[in-house]
């Protein structure tokens, strides 16, 4: 059995060819797809965060709204770029959204990816400390955020406060118990996966990672996951961790599927997303269901993970993306023992 969800970047474009032509469209359609996915029996609705782009950016209003419209499905991010975040304000937003959703948030956070603008986090008021990198800053913000989610008091109360305070030091409110265990780290390397395990975060591994061995993505990811689990065990955490991988998977069951994805290349690609950092980009799986089942059986990382996130082409509209999800749940997942 696997949890199966979707991952949307929430792209929008005013082009007549796009089914998502504005920021409002991207947000409202994301909510609608979360509702549709829940009705279909999917397990998760996840959203990517990109700043300065025609994509989803501020996740908590969306997560709160989707939480109010759904009852069962997990709602998450993959991922929030922590270079841009004020950990204290984020802890309040996350606590509020999680309470609205009834404890269903699964928040993926990370150092982030190459951006639309140069050093965009500077416009948000964040600058790395002397001798530190932006990645160091993201990890420091993450550590502060994790500490805040423990719910321990740290702020000295005002003796002449407007409203009565509980005894002792004060924590941020609203506090949502259990959210600390539902934080994931999006790791692009084995080293950051091991770091996440030590801190007790779940692991998200995307459709790309930095190339560390020259092997196919799924092989490198499987090794990353095994290293993460070994580090988790060594850290002595009481609970079992969760691990997700993202994939572009399309079951070709009708002419529209074949028109959109019938010519997709079934190979990994190697390239550079940052200077001097070679990355491996995962293939797109697109085939008739029986052939798709055979291909996915060979994916070592999917086999290692407990959660699979299906990247969806959101600009093709809610109905078509619901069909993409349903096709996997109906024609592929049962044959692989995921359902």
């Amino acid at each position: 059995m696997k949890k199966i969800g979707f991952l949307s970047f929430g792209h929008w474009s005013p082009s007549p060819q796009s089914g998502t032509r504005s920021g409002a469209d991207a947000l409202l359609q994301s909510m609608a797809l979360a509702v549709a996915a829940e009705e279909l029996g999917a397990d998760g609705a996840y959203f990517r965060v990109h700043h300065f782009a025609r994509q989803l950016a501020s996740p908590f209003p969306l997560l709160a709204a989707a939480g109010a419209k759904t009852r069962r499905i997990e709602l998450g991010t993959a991922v929030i770029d922590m270079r841009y975040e004020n950990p204290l304000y984020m802890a309040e937003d996350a606590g509020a959204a999680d309470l609205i959703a009834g404890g269903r948030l699964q928040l993926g956070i990370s150092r982030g990816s190459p951006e639309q603008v140069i050093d965009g986090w500077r416009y948000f008021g964040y600058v790395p400390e002397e001798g530190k990198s932006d990645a160091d800053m993201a990890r420091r913000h993450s550590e502060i955020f994790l500490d805040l989610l423990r719910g321990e008091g740290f702020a000295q109360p005002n003796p002449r406060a407007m409203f009565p305070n509980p005894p002792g030091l004060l924590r941020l409110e609203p506090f949502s118990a259990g959210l600390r265990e539902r934080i994931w780290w999006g790791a692009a390397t084995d080293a950051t996966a091991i770091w996440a395990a030590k801190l007790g975060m779940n692991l998200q591994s995307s459709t790309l990672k930095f190339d560390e061995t020259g092997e196919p993505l799924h092989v490198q990811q499987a090794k990353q996951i095994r290293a993460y689990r070994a580090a988790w065990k060594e850290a002595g955490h009481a609970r079992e961790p969760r691990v997700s991988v993202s994939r572009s998977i399309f079951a070709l069951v009708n002419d529209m599927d074949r028109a959109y994805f019938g010519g997709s290349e079934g190979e990994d690609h190697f390239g550079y997303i940052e200077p001097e950092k070679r990355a491996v980009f995962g293939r797109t799986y697109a085939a008739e269901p029986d052939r798709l089942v055979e291909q996915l059986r060979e994916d070592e990382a999917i086999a290692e993970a407990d959660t699979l996130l299906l990247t969806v082409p959101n600009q093709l509209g809610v109905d078509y993306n619901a069909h993409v999800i349903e096709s996997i749940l109906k024609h592929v997942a049962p044959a692989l023992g995921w359902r």
Side-chain angles (χ1 to χ4, degrees):
M1 299 291 289
K2 287 190 191 299
K3 289 184 178 292
I4 301 174
F6 73 82
L7 170 59
S8 174
F9 280 45
H11 292 285
W12 62 272
S13 167
S15 167
Q17 284 74 43
S18 174
T20 310
R21 299 186 184 180
S22 69
D25 285 346
L27 290 163
L28 295 172
Q29 290 176 18
S30 294
M31 292 162 53
L33 186 58
V35 171
E38 179 173 79
E39 293 172 349
L40 291 169
D43 302 296
Y46 286 73
F47 304 100
R48 187 66 166 89
V49 176
H50 280 112
H51 300 287
F52 298 102
R54 290 178 173 178
Q55 300 175 41
L56 297 173
S58 54
F60 294 108
L62 172 60
L63 294 172
K69 286 182 170 290
T70 57
R71 293 292 176 267
R72 178 193 57 81
I73 197 169
E74 293 179 343
L75 302 163
T77 53
V79 290
I80 297 172
D81 188 331
M82 293 301 290
R83 294 175 295 183
Y84 287 79
E85 294 297 326
N86 177 322
L88 285 85
Y89 197 83
M90 182 176 171
E92 291 182 342
D93 278 353
D98 195 44
L99 291 172
I100 290 171
R104 289 182 284 132
L105 257 58
Q106 303 285 341
L107 293 181
I109 62 176
S110 188
R111 172 263 189 189
S113 61
E115 308 163 274
Q116 298 296 109
V117 299
I118 297 170
D119 294 348
W121 29 269
R122 292 183 183 272
Y123 295 99
F124 279 56
Y126 303 115
V127 180
E129 297 176 6
E130 186 70 29
K132 301 289 186 179
S133 68
D134 62 316
D136 294 327
M137 180 174 66
R139 286 189 284 271
R140 179 57 184 153
H141 286 181
S142 301
E143 290 168 348
I144 295 170
F145 178 61
L146 292 173
D147 284 343
L148 292 168
L149 294 185
R150 299 182 192 279
E152 298 173 358
F154 63 92
Q156 187 69 39
N158 185 345
R160 295 179 178 84
M162 183 178 296
F163 304 105
N165 281 319
L169 299 176
L170 301 183
R171 67 186 183 189
L172 291 174
E173 302 289 357
F175 173 71
S176 184
L179 180 57
R180 172 62 179 80
E181 296 186 352
R182 289 179 273 116
I183 306 301
W184 305 58
W185 181 259
T189 65
D190 292 358
T192 53
I194 291 169
W195 172 81
K198 291 177 180 177
L199 290 181
M201 287 187 280
N202 299 314
L203 177 66
Q204 289 180 337
S205 201
S206 184
T207 51
L208 67 87
K209 71 180 293 291
F210 289 130
D211 177 30
E212 298 183 88
T213 66
E215 296 169 295
L217 173 69
H218 75 101
V219 175
Q220 293 197 47
Q221 277 187 325
K223 290 181 177 179
Q224 180 192 54
I225 293 168
R226 288 191 286 269
Y228 165 82
R229 288 206 170 107
W232 183 279
K233 183 177 180 180
E234 184 178 350
H237 300 303
R239 66 179 178 87
E240 287 297 314
R242 287 182 61 182
V243 175
S244 74
V245 295
S246 303
R247 289 290 185 272
S248 299
I249 305 174
F250 302 97
L252 306 182
V253 299
N254 60 31
D255 290 342
M256 185 174 290
D257 297 331
R258 286 182 277 272
Y260 281 138
F261 301 106
S264 300
E265 295 184 19
E267 297 180 354
D268 289 350
H269 296 279
F270 292 83
Y272 291 84
I273 58 172
E274 294 182 1
E276 301 179 1
K277 287 188 176 180
R278 189 171 187 254
V280 54
F281 302 81
R283 60 178 290 185
T284 293
Y285 290 96
E288 306 292 329
D290 55 347
R291 177 61 180 146
L292 200 56
V293 168
E294 294 177 9
Q295 294 173 351
L296 294 173
R297 278 203 180 103
E298 302 300 316
D299 192 307
E300 294 181 20
I302 292 179
E304 290 280 351
D306 57 79
T307 301
L308 174 63
L309 302 183
L310 305 170
T311 61
V312 294
N314 73 278
Q315 290 187 87
L316 294 182
V318 174
D319 290 344
Y320 183 73
N321 281 286
H323 158 75
V324 168
I325 296 166
E326 182 179 29
S327 295
I328 300 301
L329 294 176
K330 181 177 179 181
H331 299 292
V332 177
L336 288 164
W338 300 347
R339 282 291 186 270

